[in-house]
Amino acid sequence: QVQLVESGGGLVEAGGSLRLSCAASGRTFRINAMGWYRQAPGAQRELVAAISSSGSTNYALSAKGRFIISRDNAKNTVYLQMNSLKPEDTAVYYCYGDGVLERSWGQGTQVTVSS
């Protein structure tokens, strides 16, 4: 079992920045790719960014140029640096970790961007 705990969400003005963290515990040796999804009210959950165990990254078009995903394998932690935030970035952000056979999810952290 892998447990994921997010932190770093909050309220920020448009144009501001936030850094989300997601710490994994438990059977962390099983984790390969990690990443972030988000879900706005009334919308489907969408992928924001992903990072492989070797550091290769993938971003949603909406995140490219503004968000940076990184991970510290020694700390079993993945980060999402969000810059130039927009009101449309408002959502609950969920981190995930992919094991060999299953995907684990965090509980989510709220990000609210005011205009």
Side-chain angles (χ1 to χ4, degrees), residues 5-85:
V5 179
E6 301 105 331
S7 60
L11 173 65
V12 65
E13 292 184 351
S17 298
L18 281 175
R19 188 193 195 206
L20 305 183
S21 300
C22 175
S25 61
R27 294 180 179 269
T28 57
F29 63 90
R30 292 175 175 268
I31 297 176
N32 297 311
M34 299 184 76
W36 295 88
Y37 275 72
R38 68 185 181 187
Q39 188 166 21
Q44 290 188 331
R45 192 174 292 193
E46 61 176 2
L47 177 68
V48 177
I51 185 167
S52 70
S53 56
S54 62
S56 297
T57 59
N58 183 39
Y59 295 92
L61 286 177
S62 59
K64 281 185 177 180
R66 299 189 300 128
F67 295 1
I68 301 171
I69 189 170
S70 61
R71 67 190 287 175
D72 184 332
N73 290 330
K75 295 182 179 180
N76 297 310
T77 300
V78 63
Y79 306 95
L80 186 67
Q81 177 67 43
M82 304 187 292
N83 302 316
S84 302
L85 283 162

